[in-house]
Amino acid sequence: TILQGDWSSDVCSSDLLVYRLIHAQTGLVSTAASALVCALFGFAPTWPWWELTWVSGILSLIGLLALLRWRPFGVKVLLKSVGWKCVTRFLQAAEFAALFVLLGVEPTFERVFLIQGFVAASASIFAFIPGGIGVQERIIVEGCVILGLGGAFGFQMGFLRRCRQLLWAGFGVVAAMALEAASRRGPKLKEQSAPVDEPSVRPGSE
């Protein structure tokens, strides 16, 4: 709807609400899956991975059922949206692997999924903190300490990850400003291109 030029506040707010619900629901899926991996392989055994798995899994299922019951869009559209969002959630593990390589450390299975599990869990537990500012950096540092990589290494990883988020956020702001400017120019162009009434034909003077 937005791509077709409908920028009404009701449509935008409704689409944004659906996106935020899908974002939260898939975040719980990511938390459940990551916690399950950590529980099965015994990563950071002092953490309550099994509890996180069950609680996050049940809440994510409730969120999915609520979306399907509300059905703001068709079922196929909702399921595709949830599926693709889940894919982006799990690609976060690839991001951590890339950061390990960038910082000169081998991205082993344990290292990648332990950090992934920590970040996913902290994002769900501290969802009330905007952007997880400070929380995610702290949990990455803690994970790197547990892995024996040291707090300084964890700080570097958290810093680079936050820079990536700010970079994409900046692109998003620029894109939103460009779209808003384009939507404001649209009505003006239509008004300017509207046909002008031809002057009425008057009989010539005799």
Side-chain angles (χ1 to χ4, degrees):
T1 305
I2 293 176
L3 293 178
Q4 294 174 350
D6 189 349
W7 281 80
S8 63
S9 59
D10 291 339
V11 171
C12 290
S13 59
S14 175
D15 290 347
L16 183 60
L17 175 60
V18 174
Y19 170 77
R20 293 305 303 175
L21 290 174
I22 292 176
H23 182 80
Q25 189 269 334
T26 54
L28 290 168
V29 172
S30 175
T31 300
S34 302
L36 179 61
V37 170
C38 291
L40 290 174
F41 287 90
F43 300 154
T46 58
W47 269 62
W49 295 120
W50 286 114
E51 289 80 358
L52 282 171
T53 301
W54 289 112
V55 172
S56 300
I58 292 172
L59 290 178
S60 66
L61 181 59
I62 292 173
L64 179 61
L65 293 176
L67 272 173
L68 294 176
R69 181 175 177 80
W70 176 29
R71 201 174 299 177
F73 300 102
V75 174
K76 289 184 178 180
V77 173
L78 285 174
L79 291 178
K80 284 183 179 179
S81 301
V82 170
W84 282 113
K85 186 62 179 176
C86 283
V87 170
T88 64
R89 289 287 192 179
F90 292 117
L91 284 176
Q92 183 172 267
E95 178 188 24
F96 289 126
L99 288 174
F100 276 118
V101 172
L102 184 64
L103 294 172
V105 174
E106 182 183 359
T108 63
F109 183 83
E110 178 183 5
R111 288 169 178 170
V112 171
F113 279 92
L114 178 62
I115 299 298
Q116 163 70 14
F118 275 0
V119 172
S122 66
S124 296
I125 296 173
F126 298 98
F128 57 90
I129 299 180
I133 297 177
V135 175
Q136 294 187 20
E137 286 79 6
R138 178 67 184 86
I139 203 69
I140 290 175
V141 169
E142 181 176 344
C144 289
V145 170
I146 292 175
L147 290 169
L149 300 173
F153 180 88
F155 176 81
Q156 294 177 62
M157 175 173 281
F159 177 76
L160 289 175
R161 185 169 182 271
R162 184 64 68 180
C163 287
R164 189 270 302 167
Q165 292 175 338
L166 292 175
L167 178 63
W168 284 110
F171 284 148
V173 170
V174 172
M177 293 172 63
L179 288 172
E180 184 179 3
S183 67
R184 289 179 178 177
R185 287 197 303 268
K188 294 181 181 179
L189 293 176
K190 289 181 180 179
E191 292 175 2
Q192 293 175 0
S193 61
V196 180
D197 294 338
E198 295 182 357
S200 59
V201 179
R202 295 190 180 91
S205 59
E206 296 182 355

